Structure formats: structure tokens, C-alpha cells
Amino acid sequence: DGGITQSPKYLFRKEGQNVTLSCEQNLNHDAMYWYRQDPGQGLRLIYYSQIVNDFQKGDIAEGYSVSREKKESFPLTVTSAQKNPTAFYLCASKGGMDTDTQYFGPGTRLTVL
Amino acid sequence: GQNIDQPTEMTATEGAIVQINCTYQTSGFNGLFWYQQHAGEAPTFLSYNVLDGLEEKGRFSSFLSRSKGYSYLLLKELQMKDSASYLCAVMDSNYQLIWGAGTKLIIKP
């Protein structure tokens, strides 16, 4: 099956710990995105990558880091510098014939205790 | 600044029709998207409008007026499974999506 996977579905961490969220896609899409979703707010862009070995900061990149070493993978690290990391994190990708539509993974709900 | 406005919550009856509005002010326009998001799940793509007019896709239709900065999503023959949040997003001049906060649609029997 083609699609986007994120793991884990739920993640709990202690304050001050770094944590890495996984995002993998087998859609052969060039572009990948990380969003954060908080109650009552629209999705906010953290980082995006349009090609392997290149990525750009989004609107709320502070306290986060990413890498894009492979086309299929775009992991997000939430560092201890992120002041309020508890949120629902969504990974998306786009490309191929349908070049403008973003497709989402199932999301990871991160809770920092 | 860039802004997407949609109602926070709407209620409708099973079998009825509901229209969810979205107004936008963005730096440039390269298309408008509607997504459906059930609670705790990821958004799923519903429709894309880049030209003025109505796009129909089964029970769902989406309308765009670029001159008015306005779109709506029309859901017909409502079913209980349509209870979800509906997200409006505009692709700006940098081809990035600007997202509204979403409209929570509650369907009552």
C-alpha cells in the first residue's frame, strides 16, 4: 500500500528530553512537511523540505530540528528548547501527478509531562 | 497579515444540507483546499478550487469566488459519519498552505 506513516501514534516524554518523531512515505513525493495542531488553531508549519538534503524553516521552527537524508524519510526532533511541545504533530507530503495537494500521515500525539 | 476565517462550530440534521463558509485574505492565491478531519485523526483531502465556480464531487461541492476572497463547502444528504471538522486552506504566493482553524460540524439524528 502507498501512503505516509508516522510513529508512534502516542508519545509521552518528560520535560527536558529530546524526542524524535518518525515520518516515512512510499508515494515517491519530493516535498514533505511537518505541522503542529493545537486546539482552536489552524495547522502551523514547522519545517518543510522540497528535495533531499534540503529543508526550510516554517512559521514556528524554534525548538525543532529536521533532517532529509532520504526521499522517503523526514524525521522531526522536538528539543528541550521548545517551550510548549505538547501537541498533535502531522506529517504531510506532496508530489507526483497531483502536485499541489498535500496528503497527511496519521499523526503523533506528543504529551510532555 | 494573512487570515483565514471560518465558523467555529455548526450543527445540522441528518439528511439535510449544510454550507460551511470560508473567507480569506492572503498574500497571493494559488488555490483553495478543503479537508475533512475526524477527531484524533489526520486531515483527508476533499476538494481543490483554483478557478471561480462550483466543483461537484458526489455529496460534496465546493465553490470559489476569488474576487470576494470567499469559498464554501456544501454537504448534501448529511450522514452521521459527516460529523467532523472541516478545514479550509489557501495556497499563497510561496505555494505554502495557510490554514483556517476549522469548523466543527455536529450532525444530529
Side-chain angles (χ1 to χ4, degrees):
Chain A
D1 274 0
I4 306 172
T5 58
Q6 291 184 243
S7 61
K9 179 73 172 174
Y10 299 94
L11 191 56
F12 296 88
R13 279 294 180 269
K14 291 183 178 180
E15 196 171 333
Q17 290 182 332
N18 291 358
V19 60
T20 297
L21 281 58
S22 165
C23 178
E24 304 279 330
Q25 54 97 2
N26 60 4
L27 300 168
N28 201 33
H29 286 173
D30 287 311
M32 297 186 74
Y33 304 81
W34 273 106
Y35 292 95
R36 169 182 173 139
Q37 187 174 37
D38 295 282
Q41 298 189 41
L43 274 66
R44 292 184 289 167
L45 183 64
I46 304 172
Y47 268 98
Y48 65 100
S49 168
Q50 294 181 311
I51 197 168
V52 175
N53 292 321
D54 187 52
F55 49 83
Q56 306 294 329
K57 291 182 178 180
D59 300 319
I60 56 165
E62 186 175 350
Y64 299 98
S65 65
V66 294
S67 63
R68 186 84 187 275
E69 297 175 2
K70 298 187 299 181
K71 188 175 187 177
E72 302 79 18
S73 179
F74 191 41
L76 173 74
T77 296
V78 184
T79 76
S80 56
Q82 168 50 231
K83 299 301 180 189
N84 186 20
T86 295
F88 189 43
Y89 290 87
L90 289 159
C91 178
S93 70
K94 76 174 183 178
M97 296 293 289
D98 188 5
T99 56
D100 286 330
T101 302
Q102 293 185 21
Y103 295 92
F104 287 84
T108 293
R109 186 166 297 281
L110 173 65
T111 302
V112 176
L113 306 171
Chain B
Q2 307 202 91
N3 197 49
I4 311 284
D5 284 318
Q6 45 181 136
T8 302
E9 187 174 297
M10 298 181 71
T11 301
T13 304
E14 190 177 14
I17 299 173
V18 70
Q19 177 176 310
I20 302 174
N21 296 326
C22 171
T23 58
Y24 62 89
Q25 291 179 305
T26 56
S27 56
F29 179 85
N30 283 298
L32 185 143
F33 295 81
W34 284 97
Y35 284 79
Q36 180 189 61
Q37 185 178 27
H38 286 98
E41 298 181 9
T44 55
F45 170 71
L46 289 177
S47 67
Y48 169 63
N49 295 67
V50 66
L51 299 176
D52 290 352
L54 187 68
E55 294 276 345
E56 297 188 74
K57 195 184 291 186
R59 293 189 298 115
F60 293 8
S61 303
S62 56
F63 171 83
L64 175 66
S65 169
R66 289 173 295 170
S67 63
K68 295 181 179 179
Y70 168 69
S71 172
Y72 68 73
L73 181 69
L74 191 71
L75 291 73
K76 302 176 185 177
E77 302 168 17
L78 286 170
Q79 302 175 11
M80 297 304 292
K81 68 179 182 179
D82 298 330
S83 292
S85 289
Y86 291 86
L87 313 182
C88 174
V90 172
M91 185 174 291
D92 68 9
S93 57
N94 294 319
Y95 291 89
Q96 299 303 329
L97 288 181
I98 310 301
W99 294 83
T103 298
K104 182 178 180 180
L105 178 63
I106 299 168
I107 309 296
K108 296 186 173 180

